[in-house]
Amino acid sequence: QVQLVESGGGLVQAGGSLRLSCAASGRTFSTYDMGWFRQASGKEREFVARIRWSGGSTFYADSVKGRFTITRDNAKSTVYLQMNSLKPKDTAVYYCAAVRNWRLGVGVTEYDYWGQGTQVTVSS
């Protein structure tokens, strides 16, 4: 089992940047595939980015491609989401998630463990 804690959210102006972190408990973080999702008020949770346990196979939602970057540091049991050129439509609660081996890694139901989320608000 793994526990996930997100941090790094906040209020930023459009065009600004934030880096989200997701710290995992346990010694087996390096065996988990990870994903970032977000949920805007009144909307369903949606995929943002994913990364394999090895750091490879990164993939992004079209809405964030070229602006967001997912990385991980297995030595620190942490996955990151660097968000640049933020837009008001990026406003949401951002969640990290973990699973031993995702099939595609873009579906909410593919993941077994979730953090509590961190709020990102982008003002215009």
Side-chain angles (χ1 to χ4, degrees), residues 12-17 67 83-88 90 122-124:
V12 64
Q13 289 188 332
S17 298
R67 299 187 298 121
M83 306 187 295
N84 299 328
S85 303
L86 283 161
K87 305 175 181 180
D90 294 319
V122 184
S123 63
S124 57

Side-chain angles (χ1 to χ4, degrees), residues 17-111:
S17 298
L18 283 174
R19 187 176 81 154
L20 305 183
S21 299
C22 173
S25 65
R27 302 177 182 178
T28 59
F29 173 76
S30 61
T31 65
Y32 283 86
D33 295 334
M34 302 296 295
W36 282 99
F37 289 75
R38 66 187 182 186
Q39 187 167 16
S41 180
K43 296 187 177 181
E44 293 187 351
R45 194 167 299 189
E46 65 175 7
F47 167 76
V48 174
R50 68 159 201 219
I51 188 167
R52 276 289 189 194
W53 62 270
S54 60
S57 297
T58 57
F59 182 73
Y60 300 89
D62 286 344
S63 58
V64 307
K65 199 173 298 181
R67 299 187 298 121
F68 290 11
T69 303
I70 185 171
T71 58
R72 66 189 295 160
D73 185 338
N74 286 341
K76 295 183 178 180
S77 298
T78 302
V79 62
Y80 304 97
L81 186 68
Q82 177 67 44
M83 306 187 295
N84 299 328
S85 303
L86 283 161
K87 305 175 181 180
K89 65 180 180 179
D90 294 319
T91 295
V93 177
Y94 283 71
Y95 299 89
C96 67
V99 66
R100 284 284 189 183
N101 183 24
W102 36 245
R103 184 173 64 88
L104 296 176
V106 300
V108 171
T109 58
E110 294 186 69
Y111 290 84

